[in-house]
Amino acid sequence: MHEMGIALQIIDIATASIPEKMKPAHVESILLRVGKLSAVIPDNLRFCFEVASKGTAVEGAALRIEEVPVVARCRACGCSWTLNGPAFRCEACGSGNIEVISGRELDIVSIELEEGSDFP
Amino acid sequence: MEIQVVKNVLDANLAVANQSREKFRRHGVFVVNVMSSPGSGKTTLLEKTLTRLASELRAGIIVGDVSTTHDAERLARSGVPVVQVNTDAFGGDCHLAAHVIAGALDSFDLSRLDLLIIENVGNLVCPAEFDIGEDAKAVVLSVTEGEDKPVKYPLMFRVCDVAVLNKIDLLPYLEYDRDAAVAYIHQVHDGMPIFELSAKTEQGMEAWLGWLREQVARKRSM
């Protein structure tokens, strides 16, 4: 539901990541890592991004979204496993004393500049 | 040509949240971010909370709403400073972001507050994702909702420190399975403290108020 705000942040960060000496460059694609536990729906994000990026250096850029599984680690027995549903309990020993070690990512990994736009 | 960025999209939000947190630390104000779905009785709970605590602590409240000032008007009757923030300026945003709270802080004299309650927008999804500089997060659930809300919105129940189960005065009239609700909460967040209460009749309010008092005292002594 808040994908528009996220899309605007992505546009800001991606635009600011274009090296000064390469401007004006066009961003062809943006690689994101989105955790499955984060409250972001990829399709909604793509739609918002498409609308909000009009007229910016990232207009038309493809969002490549790499989904990150939810992985937890048990503080009691030390084992780690991938969660496939909302059961936050250790699979091995049943302890609820666990920490989520991945799955909440919302990162911009890299941007890809269009060929030829390196040397305007 | 590929350019490495590796930056969290919510970094800008976190930076502002950290500035607010530093202000709260300096003034020893305990800040709790209260979240729930719409209609859970959050405003009634906070109205009663503020009224009951008025004689012992100096409290203030920030109320987030997509639009309208109805909640703020209700809360103002408890006599504490209320600041209403509407999020509709950006197309009906579904959560309070850190910069909205930072802006609202100018309306308070933090040196004269012990407790700041932030009533987030009614929504169990997006507010879970946004740090606003708070010390603790509380989620309010009511017995007129499904028992399985915690497993439908696991992130919210994972990130919150305590849960309030509201409207327990209605239990005799409903087929609500209270034990199942508690089990679902603990399935997502083991050992999470749950305050079962009715904001309307004030049954069970004491434990919740006790928790708030304790947190305020702890923050003040830090």
Side-chain angles (χ1 to χ4, degrees):
Chain A
M1 279 179 256
H2 57 289
E3 279 83 356
M4 185 51 93
I6 304 282
L8 292 170
Q9 284 299 316
I10 292 173
I11 294 164
D12 276 358
I13 297 172
T15 309
S17 303
I18 303 172
E20 206 52 50
K21 59 181 192 306
M22 290 184 185
K23 286 180 181 172
H26 180 250
V27 175
E28 203 172 50
S29 70
I30 300 173
L31 178 61
L32 301 170
R33 278 165 61 83
V34 177
K36 285 205 162 177
L37 197 56
S38 79
V40 169
I41 299 163
D43 279 349
N44 293 358
L45 183 60
R46 282 202 181 86
F47 174 76
C48 292
F49 179 81
E50 199 186 309
V51 174
S53 64
K54 291 234 157 69
T56 72
V58 297
E59 178 174 354
L63 287 189
R64 288 156 50 213
I65 300 176
E66 201 180 283
E67 283 197 292
V68 183
V70 183
V71 176
R73 197 184 68 84
C74 177
R75 290 198 183 96
C77 76
C79 84
S80 59
W81 73 101
T82 301
L83 278 77
N84 293 311
F88 292 81
R89 222 165 248 294
C90 177
E91 281 192 342
C93 75
S95 169
N97 186 12
I98 64 160
E99 59 177 329
V100 173
I101 53 180
S102 83
R104 290 203 59 193
E105 292 77 2
L106 197 49
D107 300 328
I108 296 192
V109 180
S110 62
I111 59 174
E112 182 79 37
L113 297 184
E114 207 166 57
E115 284 306 317
S117 64
D118 309 16
F119 308 101
Chain B
M1 177 186 179
E2 194 188 7
I3 294 168
Q4 295 297 316
V5 182
V6 198
K7 214 170 164 193
N8 189 291
V9 177
L10 296 176
D11 269 358
N13 184 74
L14 183 62
V16 178
N18 285 337
Q19 284 167 12
S20 297
R21 203 172 352 261
E22 174 53 25
K23 273 189 196 164
F24 300 144
R25 191 199 58 78
R26 229 173 22 240
H27 295 287
V29 188
F30 173 71
V31 183
V32 59
N33 177 6
V34 182
M35 296 171 277
S36 78
S37 47
S40 65
K42 195 163 35 131
T43 307
T44 305
L45 171 70
L46 298 179
E47 241 179 314
K48 294 286 176 75
T49 301
L50 292 171
T51 307
R52 297 262 304 250
L53 293 175
S55 62
E56 42 182 308
L57 356 136
R58 301 166 301 174
I61 184 162
I62 298 175
V63 185
D65 223 331
V66 175
S67 58
T68 84
T69 55
H70 298 163
D71 287 358
E73 284 157 23
R74 280 172 61 189
L75 289 158
R77 281 182 235 135
S78 62
V80 308
V82 180
V83 171
Q84 160 100 33
V85 286
N86 286 343
T87 58
D88 60 355
F90 299 99
D93 236 352
C94 42
H95 61 275
L96 291 175
H99 68 92
V100 176
I101 297 303
L105 292 184
D106 295 338
S107 313
F108 290 98
D109 180 356
L110 291 179
S111 66
R112 307 183 67 148
L113 282 188
D114 304 308
L115 168 67
L116 179 63
I117 297 178
I118 299 172
E119 180 182 352
N120 217 311
V121 179
N123 177 346
L124 286 174
V125 184
C126 318
E129 199 73 85
F130 289 83
D131 189 334
I132 49 179
E134 73 278 63
D135 295 290
K137 298 179 200 275
V139 57
V140 181
L141 191 67
S142 64
V143 299
T144 50
E145 302 168 57
E147 293 93 343
D148 58 353
K149 279 264 170 89
V151 285
K152 283 185 174 160
Y153 304 95
L155 181 62
M156 178 59 79
F157 286 82
R158 261 323 279 180
V159 300
C160 282
D161 302 282
V162 297
V164 170
L165 187 59
N166 192 19
K167 306 190 188 179
I168 58 166
D169 55 305
L170 295 177
L171 280 174
Y173 314 103
L174 304 169
E175 282 172 23
Y176 191 78
D177 187 342
R178 174 257 169 214
D179 293 348
V182 168
Y184 279 131
I185 293 174
H186 287 153
Q187 176 187 325
V188 173
H189 188 155
D190 189 48
M192 187 184 214
I194 305 173
F195 303 110
E196 298 177 49
L197 56 84
S198 160
K200 187 180 165 202
T201 67
E202 300 190 30
Q203 177 194 349
M205 281 285 284
E206 205 40 53
W208 158 248
L209 296 175
W211 178 78
L212 284 172
R213 283 189 197 102
E214 226 175 82
Q215 302 303 314
V216 167
R218 203 162 72 180
K219 186 77 187 260
R220 243 195 245 142
S221 67
M222 268 158 72

